[in-house]
Amino acid sequence: MPDWDCQACGACCATFRVSFYWAEADDAPGGTVPVALTQPVSPTLRCMVGTAAKPVRCVALEGELGRHVACSIHPRRSSTCREVQVGDEQCRKARAQHGLPV
Ligand code: SF4
Ligand code: SF4
């Protein structure tokens, strides 16, 4: 597994539509993702604002991509965000799209 530093990357937060079951938003009991940072995708899905159309950049991503970034809602991010792992297919695809070493 590569030792890429996510805080010096952020590519996966600026490549894909970040969608998840609507009840992960905090207007549902037990939901954590701030609903104001999301938008509807379908009756059962929401996504992070900024990721529904290109150019993609999640509204919660702070900083300069590829240099120094942070997720402003890190402890409250969705299961979709948590699933991406350093070095996996999604990660490599995102980094390649942003010209970062893979
Ligand atoms: S693309 Fe990979 S290295 Fe970059 S922030 Fe996402 S998981 Fe971390
Ligand atoms: S919520 Fe955070 S981890 Fe998820 S895509 Fe946005 S910036 Fe990245």
Side-chain angles (χ1 to χ4, degrees):
M1 198 60 81
D3 63 350
W4 299 326
D5 178 3
C6 291
Q7 291 181 309
C9 178
C12 56
C13 309
T15 301
F16 308 110
R17 188 181 73 184
V18 180
S19 57
F20 41 85
Y21 185 54
W22 72 271
E24 290 195 41
D26 65 1
D27 59 342
T32 59
V33 183
V35 68
L37 303 185
T38 74
Q39 67 185 67
V41 173
S42 74
T44 55
L45 292 177
R46 302 189 69 84
C47 74
M48 294 303 296
V49 168
T51 70
K54 295 186 184 307
V56 171
R57 182 175 168 124
C58 176
V59 67
L61 185 66
E62 297 179 335
E64 186 181 349
L65 201 142
R67 291 193 173 272
H68 186 76
V69 294
C71 171
S72 64
I73 60 161
H74 195 259
R76 301 172 65 185
R77 71 197 191 284
S78 73
S79 60
T80 306
C81 304
R82 294 169 197 269
E83 278 165 15
V84 181
Q85 297 294 315
V86 173
D88 72 10
E89 188 181 344
Q90 296 276 88
C91 167
R92 289 174 186 276
K93 190 173 170 187
R95 288 179 59 95
Q97 188 164 312
H98 289 278
L100 295 166
V102 287

